[in-house]
Amino acid sequence: MFSVRTGLLAALSLALCSALALAEPVKVGFVATLSGPSAPLGVHMRNGFQLAVKELGGQLGGQPTEVIVVDDELKPDVAVSKVKGLLDRDKVDVIAGVVFSNVMMAISKPVFENETVLISGNAGPSPLAGKGCSPYFFAASYQNDQVHEIMGKYAQDQGFKRVVLMTPNYQAGKDAMAGFKRHFKGEVAEEILTPLGQLDFSAEIAKIQAANPDALFTFMPGGMGVNLVKQYAQAGLTTKIPFLSSFTIDETTLPATQEASIGMLSGANWAPNIDTPENKAFVAAFEKEYGIVPSLYAAQGYDAAKMIDGALKATGGKVSDKAAFRKALASAPFKSVRGDFSIGKNGFPLQDFYVVKPVKRADGKYETVTVSKVFDNMTDAYAAECPLK
Amino acid sequence: MSTVLLVSQLLNGLQLGLVLFLVAAGLTLVFGVMDFINLAHGVQYMLGAYLVAMCVGFTGHFGLGLLLGLIGALVLGIVLEWLVFRHLTRRDHLEQVLGTFGVILVVTEGVRMIFGTAPLAMPMPVALSGSVTLFPGLNYPVWRLVIIAVGLAVAGLLWFLVHRTRLGMLVRAGSTHPGIVSALGVNIDRLFLFVFAFGAMLAGLAGAMAGPLVSVEPTMGDNVLIIAFVVVVIGGIGSIKGAFVGALAVGLVDTLGRAFAVDLLRLVMDRSAAATAGPALSSMLIYVLMALVLGLRPSGLFGPKKA
């Protein structure tokens, strides 16, 4: 009796094993910030990715797909240990996601050393775009500087002569100022650096009011941006000193700022109103599935999944042939919700960038709409330094 | 530096100080009267903001929503006292810290599960959402003036309660001589419950007042809690007057530091060095203030002189 049962079990497990081996399922390790004040960004990006996988019938490239989602907690050390687990224990074929650049920098080394493909759903730090570019890195998003450059170019085109810059006091904040100044040739009246996580901007707003510039440029991600937008509007400055921003006004913060954000501007590579059939279908499906308006993070997550899907279709569903998989990814074999989209030699996309503004829709929800296109099919500033062919 | 800028920064400092006072008043009472370290006080601030935002959303009326939200904050304070804090008051400080830290984790995660991680919108009356011209050249947001008015009113009310009523007398006595108060036949548990629930409601009020200015999200109480502890330590543990003076001092020092540190440093160093050193200096000013006060008066400005 005992031996019969053991034999059955053994046969069953053998059959299971071989069935799994035949199907060659695709395993994607998805890294996102899902806890803490910045969690909405990670939630949007993950939802976008999972929506695409769901629409493709739980498959990428025609292969059954398992997506293992991990929370990086916005801590580089936590991210590294979880990513090592994904690589060593789960043996994932692709790592995707990542909202923040410091997390991306921390995990890039172990992922590249493991010769695994890394697809960014948001973070685009400059070291990975220039000299430190890698054949294993692809971005479905943008290079960080580009979004700040949009606003610098816009300010220059509008003929603004004097601006005040305000960002949090950390590396990304200083990068934002540098990105803005790349295309803005006027005078920077003041550069204000605020502590990370600042709640009350009254002192800074009074300073801006006193400096009376032609415009304000700010980069205040997450909750800080919500605080600033509300307080700037309450001070009645929106109509007096144009509010130009990056990563401050999008569909992750609009539910909180609502009316206060009207009249302010932001830079983006995507907005819900971009007129492609893919985008219309994506926005409708996302709202139906999650009940919220998608943000650019959601769109990028969605595109990241479609990018993997397209590349796997090109290689006949095989994930084991990494060279062919990388070559396929580099050709960006999918239709982006953003329309024009190709991959440059450093793995970063060439795409269009827009100035966007928030509007209230007929159903009472808020979303961004494009105001004007600032850059057409733009390459990032670091691509030339990348030694890859 | 113009007079207009100085006046507007002083108002900003006053307003920040009064929000801090609302948080710190409850904290200092609980800390002083019950010798109880309540790390979960920041959570009550957050709950106040959520409750009021929710009630205003439901009722569509700001005043009514505020009232309902504050009653909700009071009830939640009583529930928390009954469920958790009552069992910790006679334990040592380490256990209180652990227990109340647990409350932070549970409540924060609970709020996240119910409302999601995305920040919530706080509806406010249109009449209070703009700015007014105080005098030529100075536009000031109406809501910040409302906060100043409410903060001063609560301070006056607290002064009256603590110094002119029998209950206040017991609270004052309890903060310095809890054993004697208990021996004289006062139900110290009921006193604790009252003080605790009242403190929770004040924290909720602070959250509701701050809601239209800041992002209403699950972790909004964490930063405020740290600054509120600084206020309590500067003012002296258990002293409402100390909390008031300490809160205004912290609010003004922080605001004026952020406003003028860079400009002042430019007088003695070059522009780029000042731009780097200014923000660093201004963000530690309140801790420098705390260190100075503790150096001169180890029990805070108005703290009890412990023998």
Side-chain angles (χ1 to χ4, degrees), chain A residues 123-283:
Chain A
S126 55
L128 292 181
K131 289 194 186 73
C133 62
S134 161
Y136 292 96
F137 183 83
F138 298 92
S141 49
Y142 51 82
Q143 200 283 314
N144 292 354
D145 294 25
Q146 292 178 303
V147 183
H148 312 303
E149 287 177 40
I150 301 171
M151 276 304 159
K153 181 79 164 43
Y154 179 78
Q156 183 69 19
D157 292 348
Q158 291 293 309
F160 294 144
K161 298 277 178 281
R162 279 176 82 241
V163 297
V164 169
L165 312 183
M166 177 159 77
T167 69
N169 192 8
Y170 74 130
Q171 193 54 45
K174 291 169 187 167
D175 290 350
M177 289 189 178
F180 181 87
K181 286 189 275 191
R182 191 165 289 146
H183 297 279
F184 180 71
K185 302 299 170 211
E187 181 200 349
V188 174
E190 192 143 17
E191 294 187 359
I192 304 174
L193 292 168
T194 59
L196 262 183
Q198 177 147 317
L199 301 166
D200 187 65
F201 288 92
S202 57
E204 289 76 9
I205 288 172
K207 263 167 104 169
I208 295 164
Q209 211 168 357
N212 197 22
D214 296 337
L216 166 75
F217 168 71
T218 187
F219 157 69
M220 283 289 163
M224 287 184 289
V226 175
N227 301 349
L228 176 63
V229 165
K230 285 180 170 184
Q231 295 168 24
Y232 199 79
Q234 283 171 20
L237 287 184
T238 315
T239 49
K240 291 182 189 143
I241 304 170
F243 184 99
L244 315 179
S245 67
S246 49
F247 304 110
T248 307
I249 295 164
D250 56 41
E251 287 76 7
T252 65
T253 56
L254 283 175
T257 53
Q258 299 191 344
E259 205 58 39
S261 65
I262 299 296
M264 301 181 177
L265 296 174
S266 187
N269 55 351
W270 176 88
N273 73 322
I274 286 182
D275 197 12
T276 66
E278 290 79 16
N279 199 39
K280 286 206 174 84
F282 160 68
V283 173

Side-chain angles (χ1 to χ4, degrees), chain A residues 34-37 39-40 43 169 188-190 193 195 197-204 206-207 209-210 223 226-227 230-231 233-236 240 252 255-256 258, chain B residues 5 8-9 12 15-16 112 117-122 124 129-131 139 141 143-144 211-215 217 219 223-224 255 258-259 263 266 271 275 279 283:
Chain A
L34 299 171
S35 53
V43 170
N169 192 8
V188 174
E190 192 143 17
L193 292 168
Q198 177 147 317
L199 301 166
D200 187 65
F201 288 92
S202 57
E204 289 76 9
K207 263 167 104 169
Q209 211 168 357
V226 175
N227 301 349
K230 285 180 170 184
Q231 295 168 24
Q234 283 171 20
K240 291 182 189 143
T252 65
Q258 299 191 344
Chain B
L5 185 57
S8 97
Q9 297 294 24
N12 288 334
Q15 175 260 314
L16 178 63
R112 190 172 287 144
T117 48
L120 222 63
M122 176 78 117
M124 63 190 286
S129 64
S131 62
N139 280 327
W143 186 251
R144 290 185 190 271
L213 293 178
V214 304
S215 157
E217 58 190 358
T219 52
N223 290 327
V224 171
T255 305
R258 281 189 286 129
D263 297 319
R266 265 184 210 151
R271 205 179 155 91
S283 57

